Each structure stands twice: as structure tokens, then as C-alpha cells.
């Protein structure tokens, strides 16, 4: 599985800068008033244990997974932004403020980004779920170093014309169209894990980390040849775009990944549509 190269480059920059800090910091007392780096704490834990510190690092959190809420030297992801993993030996975080996560990367299965954290550092081991972490930082405050803005593209709730059903109508009255062959327009989204027709798409400003937003219907049998005309991620890691699809609609629940979708659309034909 390929990883995003820019994050690896950023990691090297952080490592280089932190080594310079370690080599030139002759006044140890200043380390407690100026930001540290994660590897300074993990390399010399006894020096900082029991002290209030300010530290810069990569925050990685996976909602729904109680075993991952950490500060690390860096983060790696798949090319589609999913499967964020901390790099190096991480520090378990207690009390990281939820409001800060709104400014970080949110590709859909995790939250990550570079942050500045203040709190009490401990190094006695056995922290976090199952005592899996050697280090602990009890957070008193945190702020994002990078602030991620997302851009949304959404459908307009309007009739599509004769012999077509608006996507919003499907969402509002799915039972009315049960088992019928229909034509509708929606945003198609695929990232090897999720396959949906959605009300809209949200991306970061540079177009990375897309994810569906609003109402969604699981989709099957989308013609691969039509994906080439849509927005495609690096190494084919995601596909999205506004499309018109014709196919059979079913509803009743239990569709798609983990049976989480109420309705499903079996595509017979599809074509890109200009927003």
C-alpha cells in the first residue's frame, strides 16, 4: 500500500530540525518554556517526566477506536488519506480538546494533523488502553499548527425533468421507488472502501481527502470506463464526480459496508455531468 510522499518529506524535515535543537540546546531550562518535539521527550524521558511541557507533533485519532489517540513524530496515510498511522514511538494523550480536531485532516476514518500541545508529561509506562504506551501527556491545552479548510460541492434540490427522479426525492420517499428502474443525478464516490451516490463531496482545499457528505445511497456495478472522466486520486486511490446514472433502486436497509446503508442502486449506465 502506497503512502503519501509529502508526509514522508515533512517527517524528514521535522527530524532534521529536532536534531539541530538537540545539538544546540545548551540551556536545558529553556526546554520547558519553548516547544519541544516528540522525540526529545521519548529520547530523554527522565529529564521531562513529571514536568509541564509544550510539545509539537502529529496528533492521530481514530474515532470509534479507543486504542489510538496519540502524539507522534509524524503520520503516514494511504494515498486517499485513509488509514492514518503514527510514525515512531507515540505518546498517549489524555484530554485532547475535541474542538481542535475540527481544524485537522478528516478523511473519513481518522483525524490527524500537526498540533502544539501543553500538558503534564509522565514516563512510568502502562498508559492508555491495555497499558500499551510507555509515555503519557495529560493535556491542558492544544492548538493546530496547520488549519485545514474543506471545500464542499453539493447538489441542488430541484426537479431533473421528464422520466428522471431527483436524488433528494429518492432520499425522502425511497419506498415509492422500490424495485424500479430509474434515472437520477448524484455525486459518485469510490475509495476502495466506500461506493456511494451522495448528495455532495467535501475535499481539502488542494483536492485531497475527499469524502461524501449529506445523504448517501450505496452503489454497485458502476462502469469503470466512466470513472476515467471523473476526478481520480493518485494511484487510483479515489474517484468522484457528478454523474447521471440509470439503474435499479432498492431500499429496506442492510446494504453496503457493515450494512449501514438504507438503500442501494444497481447501475446499468452512467455518464459524467458538468456541475
Amino acid at each position: 500500500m502506497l503512502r503519501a510522499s509529502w508526509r514522508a518529506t515533512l517527517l524528514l524535515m521535522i527530524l532534521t530540525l529536532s536534531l539541530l535543537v538537540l545539538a544546540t540546546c545548551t540551556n536545558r531550562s529553556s526546554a520547558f518554556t519553548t516547544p519541544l518535539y516528540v522525540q526529545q521527550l521519548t529520547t530523554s524521558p527522565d529529564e521531562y517526566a513529571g514536568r509541564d511541557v509544550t510539545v509539537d507533533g502529529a496528533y492521530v485519532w481514530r474515532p470509534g477506536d479507543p486504542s489510538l489517540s496519540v502524539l507522534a513524530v509524524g503520520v503516514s496515510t494511504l494515498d486517499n488519506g485513509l488509514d492514518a498511522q503514527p510514525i515512531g514511538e507515540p505518546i498517549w494523550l489524555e484530554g485532547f480538546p475535541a474542538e481542535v480536531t475540527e481544524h485537522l485532516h478528516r478523511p473519513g476514518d481518522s483525524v490527524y494533523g500537526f498540533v502544539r500541545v501543553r500538558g503534564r508529561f509522565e514516563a512510568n509506562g502502562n498508559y492508555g488502553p491495555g497499558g500499551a504506551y510507555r509515555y503519557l501527556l495529560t493535556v491542558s491545552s492544544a492548538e493546530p499548527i496547520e488549519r485545514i479548510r474543506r471545500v464542499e460541492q453539493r447538489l441542488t434540490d430541484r426537479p431533473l425533468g421528464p422520466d428522471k427522479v431527483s436524488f433528494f426525492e429518492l432520499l425522502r420517499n425511497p419506498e415509492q421507488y422500490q424495485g424500479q428502474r430509474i434515472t437520477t443525478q448524484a455525486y459518485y464516490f469510490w475509495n476502495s472502501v466506500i461506493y456511494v451516490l451522495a448528495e455532495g463531496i467535501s475535499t481539502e482545499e488542494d483536492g485531497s481527502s475527499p469524502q461524501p457528505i449529506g445523504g448517501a445511497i450505496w452503489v454497485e456495478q458502476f462502469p469503470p470506463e466512466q470513472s476515467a472522466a471523473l476526478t481520480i486520486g493518485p494511484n487510483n486511490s479515489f474517484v468522484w464526480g457528478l454523474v447521471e446514472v440509470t439503474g435499479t433502486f432498492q431500499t429496506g436497509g442492510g446494504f453496503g459496508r457493515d450494512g449501514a446503508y438504507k438503500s442501494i442502486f444497481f447501475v446499468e449506465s452512467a455518464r459524467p455531468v458538468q456541475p
Side-chain angles (χ1 to χ4, degrees), residues 45-59:
D46 293 339
E47 181 175 349
Y48 301 103
R51 304 293 297 268
D52 290 327
V53 299
T54 299
V55 56
D56 292 350
Y59 174 64

Side-chain angles (χ1 to χ4, degrees), residues 95-97 99-100 115-118 139-144:
F96 191 88
E99 60 270 17
V100 176
V115 296
R116 177 164 294 170
V117 183
R118 299 170 184 84
V139 180
S140 58
S141 66
E143 61 189 84

Side-chain angles (χ1 to χ4, degrees), residues 159-209:
L160 295 180
D163 302 321
K164 297 179 182 180
V165 180
S166 83
F167 190 71
F168 293 95
E169 174 66 11
L170 281 180
L171 295 175
R172 285 191 291 257
N173 300 298
E175 291 79 11
Q176 182 177 336
Y177 301 95
Q178 168 69 4
Q180 293 188 29
R181 184 178 184 271
I182 62 173
T183 297
T184 190
Q185 292 182 5
Y187 281 93
Y188 173 64
F189 176 84
W190 174 93
N191 68 357
S192 79
V193 177
I194 298 174
Y195 311 67
V196 295
L197 296 172
E199 179 183 335
I201 297 292
S202 169
T203 70
E204 295 184 11
E205 286 184 293
D206 63 359
S208 63
S209 298

